[in-house]
Amino acid sequence: MIKVLNVAEKPSVAKSVATILSRNQLRVRDGRSRYNKIFEFNYSINGQQCHMLVTSVTGHLMEVEFEDRFRKWHSCDPADLYTAPVRKYVPEDKLDIKRTLEEEARRCHWLVLWLDCDREGENIAFEVMEVCKGVNRNLTIRRARFSALIERDIHEAAQNLIAPNQWFSDAVDARQEIDLRIGASFTRFQTMLLRDRFVIDSAQDDRNLVLSYGPCQFPTLGFVVERYWEIQSHEPEEFWTINCTHRSDEGLASFNWMRGHLFDYTSSVILYEMCVEEPTATVTKVQQQEKLKYPPYPLSTIELEKRASRYFRMSSEQTMKVAEDLYQAGFISYPRTETDSFSSRTDLHTIVQEHQEHPVWGSYAQRLLDPGAGLWRNPSNGGHDDKAHPPIHPTKFSAGESRWSQDHHKNYLDVYRFESWGDSMIPTYVQGQQFIPATLTLDSRVTRPPPLLSEADLLSCMDKGEALVMGYDDMGYELWKPNLRSLMECDMKEVSVGNKSKAEVLATCLQQMKACFLDAKVNRVKLLEAMAIFFNRSDRSNGDDSSALGENVRPCGLCQEANMVLKKNRDGNFMVGCSGFPQCRNAVWLPGPVLEATITNNICNSCTPGPVYLIQFKFRQLEIPPGFNVNHLGCIGGCDETLRQLIEICGTGSRVQARGRPPTTTPSNGPPTTTPSNPQRSNSRQAPCIYCYQTGHASTDCPSRISATRHVQSHGMNQQNGESSIPCSTCGTPCVLRTANTANNRGRKFYSCSSQACNFFVWEDNLNNGSAPRSAPRPNMSNSASNPSRRGGRGRGVQNAGRAADVTFVSATGEPISGRRCFVCGDPSHFANACPIRGS
């Protein structure tokens, strides 16, 4: 005897199929999943005796997801999701069902798939096939095709098994992958761009707020927003119309003005007064014709939802739930179908025969089947056929539902009470007949905008949706309109009939949507501007819209999984960090004076691993030494000498000590890199040197302190003129001891280099305390010689702020430099990069 494993899409369908095929003579046992029972019985398929095992899944057995390294939001640039590898797997909550299938498939010869006969059901069928063939590659696989859970359909399907349809399954695979890639990329983009910048009133927890983008839902939202815009732009306009009624023995008749209405009041009044002065009306023409009222097209899913909403005020979700219940109880055929025409193979007479005994419309069914009555007409053709299911139709009835209709003996209206002939009446008139109207009025009305769409759940998120729709619309992409999705659905249909391959459709759709996405990133300011119209700014935002999302600079060389991206920290300083943070803490700190930074399409030819994209920098003029250009196209890969010099002279924007971040080290050939902190590698962080603020050595071994000590030891008298001097640590020229003559430092002695090409300067008392002198190249003496932050770095300027009030900018001769003040607070004792209140 052949052992046959039968798999249905739902437990209730498995029970119905098993009950019908076994004629309720079956045995039930549990599987691995307590919700998915196994029904056993014997049955004959085309004369072969079979032992049938009937079980079920619960919808899709598998899910499509990115591989683990791309699943975390900050693991990659969202644009990478268009090419990131995906996999199809059985999720944790479906593993018991998978184990049941594997255990039963090992002992069976055949696998018969009783999944719903549409593209989605076919895809689930191939998921079941993959699991079962994984443990038994010798299975004979067949497909049962049915549209209703009634004896006639189920027995016919069991005796006429067919092969599964690979094209149907491929169409769903393509749709799932496209939806995943588009939805994930735009959702991450929108959420990371907007969540922390605006206060979304509908969000209970802003930190967990997700601004999702659905390839199907977003165009639906677009319908609502578009209608809302039509209402907002509507300008009410008054118009006038002339109305007339006539009462006769047959009733009251209303007449409409052929012209309709006029927007000009004066013209309307003149015409009305002419009618009042000559009130006798004359019938100029009488036309009689037979009016036919045709039944609606056979019922598709969309039309079912529309009629349920119109007649019962039921939502789509509620409608489909009721329809599913009726289907599983055997009252109607499969309720998910695009077909609105019966094929010539459909036995309509048999369907009608099922209703002859109904207590309400049974008599009408009998008259339809009576050839002598001449009432039979084949249903009209709506022109759509999904090749999977017939239109939705009744398959059996319940004798207790007598309230479903009333018999009015009006053809199809006998059983379809939702339409009528109408109640308007026209009395009999003859040409040339005259009468005096019962009423003759000039009525005023106002043009009205179209009503809002009635989906309450869409209207509840109108503000958020309108901002997103407006933002994308300003970019020139009508992502909110159904055209794009409609083209995708057409492509899916082409796959399902074999005209296009899955790979071809994936490549075309994803290439198109990736181009849209990249343009959206470039023009993201449009989204920010649109959101600003509807929502208040959040205090979590640093106020600079250009830093909303990180952009790829290069692959991360530490974790070798994510990318290094350009972004701003919360202090507003630019940095390049791993998108895999916090798992990977690799970071490159950029020079403190960076004002703007933009990634270009240029790639460094020497740095590896690549590609390493060059960054266009713009520096603050007052915070970089003379001789450096404000604009610089640089590389963070280690080959850029200009960036290295600026970091050595001006420091980085990391504010390491103030924030307690990992220390930075300056490689000999590139920008400083943050050493990642890993508890498995080390339980402590090395503090930066208190003299030079760098890591790699202890403060007691600081080269600058040793150099300063040597300067103190070599401190002596100038042999030629008897003046005290020390050798310049930069160029070797003797530095003469001078005295400051400023208000804050009057009488304080300092050494400065006399060379025009050198900017060496140090206070004498600092030398005596062992502090290191500081120097930097300079073209002239007009630059500040006593600004520690100018030479010691932007981050270190914060630490020196406590002393900054005790010093004044002086020239090499000790005279105060006029016109040099902090542009933040106005204090002449420091520059803005060392201002103690900057950023507070």
Side-chain angles (χ1 to χ4, degrees), residues 547-743:
S547 62
L549 284 176
E551 297 181 83
N552 285 351
V553 180
R554 67 174 304 174
C556 179
L558 183 62
C559 67
Q560 297 182 349
E561 292 184 353
N563 290 314
M564 301 290 285
V565 297
L566 175 66
K567 52 188 176 181
K568 278 189 176 182
N569 59 22
R570 292 184 178 178
D571 293 332
N573 298 312
F574 284 95
M575 62 171 291
V576 177
C578 181
S579 60
F581 180 88
Q583 285 75 20
C584 178
R585 295 178 176 269
N586 191 16
V588 176
W589 296 103
L590 300 175
V594 174
L595 177 63
E596 297 175 5
T598 305
I599 296 178
T600 68
N601 292 324
N602 301 319
I603 297 176
C604 180
N605 295 323
S606 57
C607 292
T608 56
V612 181
Y613 292 95
L614 302 183
I615 302 176
Q616 182 65 54
F617 293 100
K618 183 176 182 180
F619 302 107
R620 298 180 182 89
Q621 179 74 59
L622 296 178
E623 296 184 18
I624 59 174
F628 287 90
N629 200 320
V630 172
N631 298 301
H632 174 66
L633 183 63
C635 173
I636 59 98
C639 66
D640 196 319
E641 181 65 20
T642 300
L643 284 184
R644 188 186 65 80
Q645 291 179 2
L646 283 174
I647 290 171
E648 287 183 354
I649 298 170
C650 305
T652 67
S654 61
R655 300 177 187 258
V656 173
Q657 291 77 24
R659 295 288 179 183
R661 291 179 182 154
T664 59
T665 59
T666 305
S668 60
N669 62 344
T673 304
T674 297
T675 304
S677 175
N678 189 335
Q680 297 178 349
R681 298 179 185 176
S682 173
N683 294 325
S684 63
R685 296 180 180 177
Q686 182 182 11
C689 172
I690 64 174
Y691 297 107
C692 68
Y693 312 106
Q694 301 296 325
T695 58
H697 60 265
S699 299
T700 55
D701 299 326
C702 180
S704 64
R705 183 173 183 270
I706 297 172
S707 174
T709 304
R710 286 200 300 268
H711 282 303
V712 173
Q713 292 173 350
S714 62
H715 172 204
M717 300 292 293
N718 189 309
Q719 298 298 323
Q720 295 182 355
N721 52 24
E723 294 180 341
S724 178
S725 66
I726 62 172
C728 175
S729 62
T730 301
C731 64
T733 303
C735 299
V736 180
L737 183 65
R738 301 178 185 275
T739 303
N741 190 27
T742 62

Side-chain angles (χ1 to χ4, degrees), residues 27-269:
R27 183 170 69 89
V28 184
R29 61 183 172 90
D30 291 333
R32 290 280 187 170
S33 170
R34 60 175 179 170
Y35 303 108
N36 303 83
K37 306 292 185 181
I38 301 173
F39 305 91
E40 294 189 47
F41 56 91
N42 293 329
Y43 184 75
S44 175
I45 299 179
N46 295 326
Q48 290 183 298
Q49 290 300 312
C50 303
H51 181 68
M52 307 284 276
L53 306 174
V54 181
T55 187
S56 65
V57 292
T58 52
H60 275 283
L61 183 61
M62 296 182 175
E63 294 179 0
V64 180
E65 187 53 276
F66 295 106
E67 290 188 355
D68 290 342
R69 58 168 293 199
F70 293 95
R71 293 185 68 174
K72 294 188 181 297
W73 277 39
H74 293 280
S75 62
C76 66
D77 184 331
D80 294 341
L81 298 179
Y82 286 91
T83 55
V86 296
R87 63 189 180 97
K88 204 166 186 179
Y89 70 103
V90 179
E92 186 72 25
D93 61 336
K94 301 289 182 70
L95 288 179
D96 285 342
I97 299 176
K98 176 176 180 284
R99 295 187 186 103
T100 297
L101 295 176
E102 290 174 338
E103 290 175 358
E104 302 302 327
R106 285 189 180 97
R107 303 193 296 267
C108 289
H109 305 95
W110 287 10
L111 172 65
V112 177
L113 302 159
W114 292 84
L115 288 308
D116 292 344
C117 298
D118 55 9
R119 288 187 297 194
E120 212 70 32
E122 207 72 20
N123 189 257
I124 301 173
F126 274 82
E127 293 172 359
V128 173
M129 288 167 53
E130 181 178 337
V131 169
C132 294
K133 291 186 71 174
V135 297
N136 184 353
R137 303 199 64 83
N138 297 319
L139 279 172
T140 297
I141 299 175
R142 292 289 182 266
R143 179 77 160 93
R145 190 179 183 88
F146 62 102
S147 294
L149 291 172
I150 57 176
E151 287 193 18
R152 182 181 67 251
D153 273 32
I154 297 302
H155 283 294
E156 183 178 348
Q159 300 301 323
N160 295 277
L161 300 175
I162 60 175
N165 191 326
Q166 180 73 57
W167 292 340
F168 271 31
S169 180
D170 285 348
V172 176
D173 281 339
R175 193 263 306 159
Q176 288 178 337
E177 185 172 337
I178 289 172
D179 286 353
L180 172 66
R181 295 185 186 276
I182 296 174
S185 60
F186 275 95
T187 296
R188 293 186 190 183
F189 166 69
Q190 291 176 172
T191 303
M192 291 190 290
L193 176 67
L194 304 173
R195 179 175 59 192
D196 290 338
R197 299 183 169 274
F198 298 95
V199 179
I200 311 295
D201 297 333
S202 61
Q204 299 295 325
D205 182 0
D206 287 353
R207 291 295 181 182
N208 295 324
L209 173 68
V210 174
L211 299 175
S212 63
Y213 177 97
C216 269
Q217 294 84 346
F218 199 66
T220 304
L221 178 62
F223 284 124
V224 179
V225 173
E226 187 174 27
R227 175 61 59 86
Y228 179 73
W229 286 349
E230 291 176 6
I231 295 172
Q232 292 297 100
S233 62
H234 177 75
E235 293 287 344
E237 192 173 359
E238 191 174 15
F239 65 89
W240 289 265
T241 181
I242 299 175
N243 298 303
C244 172
T245 63
H246 175 231
R247 186 177 298 278
S248 68
D249 295 338
E250 299 178 63
L252 184 69
S254 298
F255 293 89
N256 298 322
W257 190 13
M258 287 184 62
R259 187 160 189 169
H261 56 263
L262 284 177
F263 288 98
D264 184 85
Y265 175 70
T266 304
S267 300
S268 302
V269 170

Side-chain angles (χ1 to χ4, degrees), residues 252-528:
L252 184 69
S254 298
F255 293 89
N256 298 322
W257 190 13
M258 287 184 62
R259 187 160 189 169
H261 56 263
L262 284 177
F263 288 98
D264 184 85
Y265 175 70
T266 304
S267 300
S268 302
V269 170
I270 293 173
L271 292 173
Y272 175 68
E273 289 180 346
M274 292 172 60
C275 294
V276 172
E277 292 175 358
E278 297 289 338
T280 304
T282 303
V283 178
T284 59
K285 183 179 180 181
V286 176
Q287 183 177 355
Q288 295 180 335
Q289 63 182 28
E290 181 182 10
K291 183 178 180 181
L292 301 177
K293 188 173 183 64
Y294 295 99
Y297 293 132
L299 198 60
S300 65
T301 303
I302 296 297
E303 192 61 30
L304 169 66
E305 293 173 335
K306 287 164 59 178
R307 296 184 198 178
S309 175
R310 184 183 307 126
Y311 301 136
F312 302 128
R313 300 293 186 266
M314 292 172 61
S315 67
S316 297
E317 181 181 6
Q318 184 183 5
T319 298
M320 293 313 298
K321 183 181 184 306
V322 173
E324 285 283 350
D325 291 342
L326 290 172
Y327 163 68
Q328 293 178 25
F331 285 105
I332 64 173
S333 62
Y334 188 65
R336 298 183 184 276
T337 176
E338 300 174 12
T339 304
D340 58 6
S341 58
F342 286 100
S343 72
S344 57
R345 300 187 304 274
T346 305
D347 189 353
L348 296 175
H349 285 77
T350 302
I351 294 175
V352 175
Q353 287 172 2
E354 297 283 349
H355 295 266
Q356 292 185 90
E357 303 302 322
H358 192 277
V360 176
W361 59 71
S363 59
Y364 178 65
Q366 293 170 9
R367 292 199 305 274
L368 278 179
L369 294 171
D370 182 6
L375 294 178
W376 182 273
R377 283 184 57 191
N378 285 327
S380 52
N381 190 330
H384 301 92
D385 188 356
D386 62 10
K387 306 298 183 183
H389 292 283
I392 304 169
H393 61 272
T395 54
K396 68 178 183 179
F397 65 86
S398 171
E401 297 294 335
S402 60
R403 296 171 297 167
W404 281 3
S405 182
Q406 296 180 3
D407 192 351
H408 296 293
H409 303 286
K410 295 179 181 177
N411 296 321
Y412 82 96
L413 297 177
D414 285 359
V415 293
Y416 193 74
R417 63 184 178 88
F418 305 108
E419 293 184 4
S420 66
W421 286 103
D423 55 1
S424 61
M425 189 277 303
I426 302 178
T428 302
Y429 293 97
V430 295
Q431 188 171 347
Q433 178 181 347
Q434 293 184 329
F435 61 85
I436 302 295
T439 62
L440 182 63
T441 59
L442 177 65
D443 298 323
S444 170
R445 296 179 184 175
V446 177
T447 58
R448 298 184 180 277
L452 280 171
L453 299 182
S454 59
E455 286 288 344
D457 53 338
L458 288 175
L459 292 175
S460 64
C461 59
M462 170 66 73
D463 281 347
K464 179 170 64 179
E466 186 177 1
L468 294 175
V469 169
M470 182 183 294
Y472 287 120
D473 191 54
D474 287 345
M475 295 178 192
Y477 285 104
E478 294 183 332
L479 300 178
W480 53 277
K481 288 201 170 181
N483 312 60
L484 196 59
R485 186 66 190 183
S486 177
L487 291 175
M488 290 183 186
E489 290 296 340
C490 288
D491 281 341
M492 304 306 154
K493 194 166 187 177
E494 291 296 292
V495 174
S496 69
V497 297
N499 292 338
K500 289 185 178 181
S501 68
K502 179 177 77 172
E504 179 184 357
V505 169
L506 280 173
T508 303
C509 289
L510 293 178
Q511 181 181 10
Q512 183 182 21
M513 287 306 301
K514 184 176 182 180
C516 292
F517 178 81
L518 293 176
D519 278 354
K521 283 186 65 178
V522 172
N523 297 296
R524 56 181 176 262
V525 67
K526 300 289 187 182
L527 269 181
L528 294 164

